[in-house]
Amino acid sequence: MPFRETAMRDDKKTRIIFGLGSVLAALALTTAIVAATGNNPLQAYGNIIQGAIGSPNVAANVLVSWVPLALATAGLLFTFTGGLWNIGIEGQITLGAIFCTWAMRSLQDTALSPGIIIAFAIAAGMLGGIFWALLAGALKTFGGVNEIFGGLGLNFVATALNLWLIFGPWKRPGVASMSGTLPFEPELWMPTVSAQSRLALIPLALAVLALVIAFILLRGSHFGLRLKAVGKNPKAAYLLGIPTWQHMLLSFALCGAFAGLAGAVQVSAVYHRLIPSISSGYGYTGLMVAMLVNFSPVFAGPVALFFAALSVGSIQLPIVLKLDSSLAGVIQGFLVLFVLIGNGLRLKLLGRKRGSI
Amino acid sequence: MTIELRNISKHFGALKANDSISLAIPPGCIQGILGENGAGKSTLMKIFSGFLRPDSGEIVFDGKPLTIHSPDDAIRLGIGMLHQDPLDFPPFRVIDDFILGSPGGLVPDRRKALADFNSLSARFGFSLSPEARVASLTVGERQQLEILRLLWLGAKVLILDEPTTGISQTQKEKLFATLKALADQGMTVFFVSHKLEDVEALCSRAAVLRQGVLVGSMEKPFDMAALVRMMFGKEVELAAKSSMAPGKKVLTVKTGSVGSIRLRIKDVNLQVRAGEVIGIAGMEGSGQDLFLRACGGLVEPAGGQFCLDESETPMNGKTYHEYMRQGVAYLPAARLEKGLVPGLSLAEHFTLSVKPKGVFIDKKAAAALSEERIAAFNIKGWPDSPVESLSGGNQQRALLSLLPEKAALILVEHPTRGLDIESTIYIWGKLKERCAAGTAILFMSSDLDEILRYSDKVLVFFAGRVTPLIASESLNVQKLGELIGGVGWDAFQGNSNA
């Protein structure tokens, strides 16, 4: 037992070694795949980097796509801490976008100032996300429906609802279009840093704030600790006097609020209208980011930024090289897989339960 | 077959669980492996049965060294292990569970397996129905199923890890008879236990481990005092029962009834007063666990009235958290499954156990609280130790240390299941301290000695019937054992001690 300190340090060292090994393995496999298609991997990577930070414009685009990803990840940290797989986050983003659009449509012809309309619309988006998340949570806690299945089902419902609105009640005058509803008047667009840029500062600040809130609540608050206990062992948490299902629902609501905010940002700051694929898979990518950082609020932001850079950077790939832009997804997927495998291997090599017999 | 363990060593991090252990066992022998919790018994047996690999050392059969990499290797070499919690599949039918681990093609030969099962079962006088669900069996019957399965797979060496926790006296006698019969047929049996009386009743030899080291071995007849000294390195004395005058009512049950149609316990009348210890005895599955949980609001009573304090208003339908607010606390037997949160540290548990002040955790206060609780309950661990890294005895101490300071009634499932004598004494010492301060304790246990030693009054469950409270002075192990088995109930004209 006096050697405990060394045992801990060893553990940290192996952690870093395994982490690096996993990243290298993911890169190696991606490189092999690119090479197998007859392309030069270095050129492909160079292109991705160019596409992500080559000009202020593309770097701004990375931030634009970081915002919803960071928001989704911040929300998912709560549900993961509560031991919940909130697959339904995609639907929650979509509902956020729908509620936001609805608020904008209802208020745009009133005398309210644009700033207030946008604020209302953002709040409505968050409510929409909360509503959809609480549905999944209620199905889980009162209906006994696993949140994965409930969430998946609600995602389909959200998509269908979205399409129906775009092609039905909210269709463009004349003919409905896959390009979405009629854009809002430019004064209802969230202000961007410059006329050409798509980057708006308010959403950026909101995303940073979301990560900070997640960090503070999960690392230092009684709520975070209780949620962690509920996530790891609901039975014991209940016997310790913690209201378990209430904490689960609360984590769903928090995640839904952030997801709804992401959807609202996409509508009010990026697309200025409701489009069919408004969630753009940010929810699923958020799940990957959360898993990759092992649900730590500290690393969620930077890793989300890296994932956003990969996605934005690879947009150029099909034009410059004969590679599909899904290469970014391949790298992201491999990263998550290899890090999870590396974690499993490390725990196995350490004898899983160190020091317990 | 002569079995030799040569210089087996295994460490976990800095902890030496087994330190160069050597042991030779002649054929046809029941070898007891004694030691307190954390002595390294389970590690040694897990190495022997392929669940763990030793850092060094070898296992030798009749002079031939073996390589065992997995439980599968072990059973092929004839080594079968019966775990403390039988490794079976509760939703399966008995016969499917029996077949599951067997080698052989895609389609198991069910008919042959069934015939083998029946003949093996008959040989030992077991009455297991092959079509019953494993979940419907008692722990004792599940052990029987595992023994049959391992024998069928060709086990010549049988390892049993703490098999007598959680089974009744009669089941224990049957188990011992079976093991003796197997040993007479030339099988080698390893019997891992911390219960001296079991080892004395069953084993022909005993080896004692302490802190990972083999400290001694002995052949029958055993010198019990010497064995205790080897186990603990010192003499251990049991605490005496301290009686105090019972105080005000803390729990009153009037014509209480719990359970479903399958097992309905009716007309339980019970009054628990401050400072009293009441033990609940009964064969596993006689409904005592349901009753205990109903007393804490963890299951809904089927009828009757469950009242707390001197109040006449029944608590029926209230949740456990409402009971908690009235000073009721519940200690589950499954420590890591229901009592503690694996992955959280001791300090985090202590923080969870007290009423939160403000939104944020006061790290300094939390650290001070941990230091204080760890010292007060003599827990071997650090504030940042994850609870799953603690030994069973220390987990139980941790669980006790999480109880609210002012509890009117503590409900305990198997307070010392799987714990060694020293931890048992400690745990009961702490519980008795609570009683002296006016807390009442209602506990269930399958250990008759524990019930007789620590309770003031005893409640016996049998097949849906419940005795009135019996003063424990008027009982002994034999009489209590009979009541549990359904003998001697004529004396009670129903339960009428309201």
Side-chain angles (χ1 to χ4, degrees):
Chain A
M1 302 255 201
F3 303 107
R4 182 163 159 269
E5 292 303 320
T6 34
M8 290 292 281
R9 209 181 306 141
D10 267 356
D11 207 9
K12 207 167 219 166
K13 209 166 74 188
T14 44
R15 225 169 252 238
I16 292 169
I17 292 171
F18 270 90
L20 283 177
S22 308
V23 173
L24 287 180
L27 271 180
L29 199 56
T30 320
T31 308
I33 288 178
V34 175
T37 61
N39 280 287
N40 182 352
L42 285 180
Q43 210 181 339
Y45 294 142
N47 242 287
I48 294 181
I49 295 171
Q50 269 297 316
I53 52 172
S55 73
N57 202 22
V58 290
N61 282 345
V62 169
L63 287 179
V64 168
S65 105
W66 178 77
V67 168
L69 184 56
L71 283 170
T73 310
L76 286 166
L77 292 175
F78 288 103
T79 41
F80 271 122
T81 302
L84 301 162
W85 281 78
N86 187 17
I87 303 293
I89 183 151
E90 283 282 323
Q92 291 147 27
I93 296 175
T94 306
L95 259 283
I98 290 174
F99 270 54
C100 174
T101 309
W102 166 74
M104 296 274 251
R105 290 176 63 93
S106 326
L107 298 176
Q108 61 187 354
D109 298 328
T110 61
L112 291 171
S113 74
I116 291 180
I117 293 179
I118 292 175
F120 268 118
I122 296 279
M126 292 175 77
L127 279 179
I130 292 174
F131 163 59
W132 217 239
L134 283 181
L135 268 185
L139 279 172
K140 158 104 181 169
T141 46
F142 304 119
V145 180
N146 186 307
E147 76 277 8
I148 296 179
F149 302 134
L152 209 54
L154 287 169
N155 284 351
F156 282 112
V157 177
T159 308
L161 179 65
N162 192 28
L163 286 176
W164 174 70
L165 287 169
I166 291 172
F167 290 98
W170 293 352
K171 72 174 180 222
R172 290 180 184 221
V175 63
S177 155
M178 268 312 268
S179 61
T181 57
L182 197 66
F184 306 114
E185 294 301 319
E187 65 260 24
L188 286 175
W189 297 7
M190 213 176 288
T192 52
V193 286
S194 69
Q196 301 83 34
S197 180
R198 291 165 63 212
L199 181 63
L201 286 182
I202 295 170
L204 198 60
L206 287 174
V208 172
L209 185 67
L211 285 170
V212 171
I213 289 175
F215 176 82
I216 292 176
L217 283 184
L218 292 176
R219 281 293 168 89
S221 78
H222 285 285
F223 164 72
L225 180 59
R226 291 169 151 234
L227 186 61
K228 203 162 143 190
V230 170
K232 286 179 184 291
N233 191 347
K235 283 181 187 162
Y238 184 75
L239 282 183
L240 281 169
I242 301 168
T244 42
W245 64 260
Q246 292 90 329
H247 275 78
M248 286 190 186
L249 279 190
L250 198 51
S251 78
F252 265 117
L254 279 165
C255 185
F258 288 151
L261 179 56
V265 164
Q266 293 305 87
V267 166
S268 61
V270 180
Y271 296 109
H272 313 301
R273 63 183 191 275
L274 191 62
I275 61 167
S277 58
I278 189 76
S279 70
S280 315
Y282 282 119
Y284 292 132
T285 315
L287 285 164
M288 287 211 287
V289 175
M291 278 190 275
L292 190 62
V293 298
N294 199 17
F295 320 125
S296 137
V298 180
F299 296 108
V303 172
L305 187 63
F306 176 62
F307 270 46
L310 275 178
S311 304
V312 172
S314 60
I315 291 174
Q316 295 280 322
L317 281 180
I319 306 162
V320 186
L321 302 169
K322 286 212 170 79
L323 270 172
D324 196 77
S325 61
S326 61
L327 185 66
V330 174
I331 301 178
Q332 292 167 350
F334 278 152
L335 266 177
V336 174
L337 273 181
F338 276 100
V339 166
L340 291 182
I341 292 170
N343 260 336
L345 274 179
R346 183 175 56 83
L347 290 178
K348 192 168 182 183
L349 287 179
L350 285 175
R352 203 162 289 123
K353 290 177 195 157
R354 187 167 47 87
S356 70
I357 42 170
Chain B
M1 181 166 54
T2 306
I3 299 160
E4 268 184 273
L5 305 175
R6 286 188 192 155
N7 300 316
I8 303 277
S9 290
K10 174 84 185 171
H11 69 271
F12 297 99
L15 182 71
K16 277 191 175 158
N18 284 171
D19 192 358
S20 193
I21 293 177
S22 297
L23 196 62
I25 303 102
C29 159
I30 303 184
Q31 170 77 49
I33 307 282
L34 271 169
E36 63 169 324
N37 289 85
K41 306 177 302 256
S42 294
T43 305
L44 186 64
M45 290 302 117
K46 280 182 183 165
I47 288 171
F48 192 29
S49 60
F51 275 86
L52 289 174
R53 284 211 232 169
D55 297 333
S56 61
E58 55 183 1
I59 298 161
V60 180
F61 272 22
D62 286 332
K64 272 184 293 189
L66 304 179
T67 31
I68 305 174
H69 288 328
S70 68
D72 197 36
D73 286 351
I75 191 69
R76 236 177 286 141
L77 292 162
I79 305 166
M81 176 148 175
L82 178 64
H83 290 258
Q84 192 169 347
D85 289 312
L87 295 180
D88 50 19
F89 295 82
F92 277 29
R93 292 187 192 285
V94 165
I95 189 66
D96 294 325
D97 187 277
F98 181 73
I99 295 171
L100 188 70
S102 68
L106 215 50
V107 185
D109 185 351
R110 270 181 80 95
R111 197 174 295 166
K112 182 176 175 301
L114 190 60
D116 289 350
F117 176 85
N118 285 330
S119 74
L120 267 175
S121 179
R123 205 169 104 202
F124 296 106
F126 296 163
S127 53
L128 294 173
S129 157
E131 294 302 325
R133 298 268 172 205
V134 173
S136 70
L137 305 183
T138 63
V139 176
E141 287 170 335
R142 287 165 64 192
Q143 286 179 346
Q144 294 176 353
L145 170 61
E146 274 292 283
I147 291 176
L148 292 183
R149 194 178 70 79
L150 292 170
L151 290 177
W152 187 56
L153 291 176
K156 295 186 289 276
V157 180
L158 209 54
I159 306 167
L160 296 98
D161 190 5
E162 305 277 4
T164 58
T165 30
I167 64 174
S168 68
Q169 188 71 24
T170 21
Q171 281 176 328
K172 184 162 105 178
E173 279 160 20
K174 188 151 203 177
L175 174 72
F176 283 10
T178 309
L179 294 178
K180 281 181 176 158
L182 287 171
D184 286 341
Q185 291 161 22
M187 275 193 60
T188 310
V189 177
F190 282 79
F191 183 82
V192 180
S193 184
H194 60 264
K195 289 188 187 158
L196 283 164
E197 64 271 21
D198 287 353
V199 170
E200 189 186 24
L202 179 70
C203 299
S204 45
R205 296 153 53 93
V208 183
L209 298 186
R210 190 171 76 232
Q211 292 173 355
V213 181
L214 183 71
V215 285
S217 46
M218 205 182 273
E219 304 223 349
K220 211 168 182 162
F222 302 113
D223 173 355
M224 298 305 270
L227 282 178
V228 171
R229 268 198 306 279
M230 282 190 224
M231 271 173 82
F232 297 102
K234 57 179 184 259
E235 304 272 358
V236 180
E237 280 191 23
L238 296 170
K241 180 155 30 186
S242 66
S243 320
M244 58 168 288
K248 67 180 185 73
K249 285 186 280 189
V250 292
L251 170 74
T252 309
V253 180
K254 281 182 209 150
T255 62
S257 119
V258 291
S260 55
I261 303 160
R262 199 162 60 87
L263 177 74
R264 172 63 62 90
I265 292 100
K266 272 185 291 198
D267 286 332
V268 187
N269 292 298
L270 173 72
Q271 214 167 68
V272 186
R273 288 174 176 279
E276 264 187 333
V277 180
I278 294 178
I280 303 179
M283 252 189 245
E284 191 128 337
S286 300
Q288 64 273 48
D289 48 342
L290 276 179
F291 178 71
L292 194 68
R293 268 181 259 152
C295 291
L298 287 162
V299 295
E300 175 91 14
Q305 293 182 325
F306 288 72
C307 305
L308 291 178
D309 296 324
E310 307 264 316
S311 148
E312 296 285 318
T313 332
M315 291 285 288
N316 300 36
K318 297 271 167 48
T319 65
Y320 171 64
H321 288 173
E322 281 163 290
Y323 275 79
M324 265 182 115
R325 281 192 276 279
Q326 307 255 2
V328 178
Y330 195 88
L331 283 188
R335 292 180 281 268
L336 278 186
E337 290 75 31
K338 289 186 186 158
L340 301 167
V341 184
L344 292 193
S345 68
L346 276 174
E348 288 176 312
H349 277 85
F350 296 131
T351 307
L352 286 172
S353 73
V354 293
K355 216 172 173 205
K357 284 191 198 105
V359 174
F360 297 103
I361 297 168
D362 181 348
K363 295 263 160 70
K364 233 184 240 165
L369 179 69
S370 318
E371 297 286 343
E372 178 200 313
R373 294 269 180 97
I374 286 174
F377 287 84
N378 199 11
I379 301 168
K380 285 180 196 122
W382 290 271
D384 63 347
S385 303
V387 286
E388 69 272 23
S389 72
L390 305 176
S391 73
N394 283 305
Q395 285 172 5
Q396 188 72 331
R397 287 169 202 222
L399 209 47
L400 270 184
S401 72
L402 294 175
L403 287 177
E405 262 165 58
K406 277 186 227 137
L409 171 66
I410 304 181
L411 308 165
V412 200
E413 292 176 3
H414 304 284
T416 60
R417 174 182 274 185
L419 301 191
D420 57 67
I421 300 174
E422 218 178 357
S423 289
T424 301
I425 293 168
Y426 188 88
I427 298 291
W428 272 107
K430 280 286 172 192
L431 288 173
K432 286 286 181 180
E433 263 174 37
R434 293 292 191 124
C435 292
T439 301
I441 291 175
L442 185 60
F443 77 101
M444 60 180 253
S445 173
S446 48
D447 184 340
L448 302 189
D449 286 321
E450 180 173 42
I451 288 194
L452 292 172
R453 185 170 299 139
Y454 297 108
S455 356
D456 302 315
K457 290 171 188 164
V458 181
L459 206 59
V460 187
F461 279 61
F462 172 74
R465 292 177 64 192
V466 184
T467 61
L469 283 176
I470 310 167
S472 63
E473 294 87 23
S474 67
L475 287 168
N476 55 32
V477 172
Q478 159 120 35
K479 208 167 159 196
L480 185 54
E482 283 174 0
L483 282 174
I484 287 171
V487 180
W489 280 69
D490 304 337
F492 309 110
Q493 298 294 324
N495 178 319
S496 54
N497 61 311

